[in-house]
Amino acid sequence: MDEMPKMMVAFDPDALASLNARLDALTAEIRAVRMSPMPEWVTAHEYAERIGRTTKTVSNLVKAGKLESKRQGRTLLIRVSQGA
């Protein structure tokens, strides 16, 4: 197999240091992320934002029996696993 010819490339040391610092910061952010499962139930407001509709529309979908919901105190919760 033929070897690729070797090349020399010049970089600005300050630009390279800045790039390395940014990579270090991004690596730290990635390592800090902790994944958690999505909640099974969300508020009507959160559900409305997810589907790009108003809270009133979500309430109407609940009244029409198209979404599973429950009350937690005065808060209306919608099961996320459903689509509108």
Side-chain angles (χ1 to χ4, degrees):
M1 186 179 235
D2 293 327
E3 249 186 70
M4 296 282 294
K6 295 183 181 180
M7 296 180 172
M8 292 188 74
V9 180
F11 289 99
D12 175 19
D14 292 334
L16 189 56
S18 175
L19 181 59
N20 280 332
R22 184 67 183 133
L23 283 172
D24 290 342
L26 288 172
T27 300
E29 285 181 40
I30 290 169
R31 288 188 176 139
V33 170
R34 297 289 175 248
M35 298 297 290
S36 60
M38 290 183 64
E40 184 177 1
W41 297 89
V42 296
T43 66
H45 178 75
E46 291 169 327
Y47 191 83
E49 285 183 345
R50 287 180 184 209
I51 67 169
R53 303 283 168 82
T54 65
T55 305
K56 179 67 176 164
T57 299
V58 171
S59 295
N60 290 338
L61 291 169
V62 169
K63 288 175 187 171
K66 295 184 179 183
L67 294 175
E68 185 178 353
S69 66
K70 67 179 182 180
R71 289 248 174 222
Q72 190 170 39
R74 295 180 62 182
T75 304
L76 178 64
L77 298 174
I78 310 298
R79 186 183 294 274
V80 176
S81 60
Q82 298 179 347

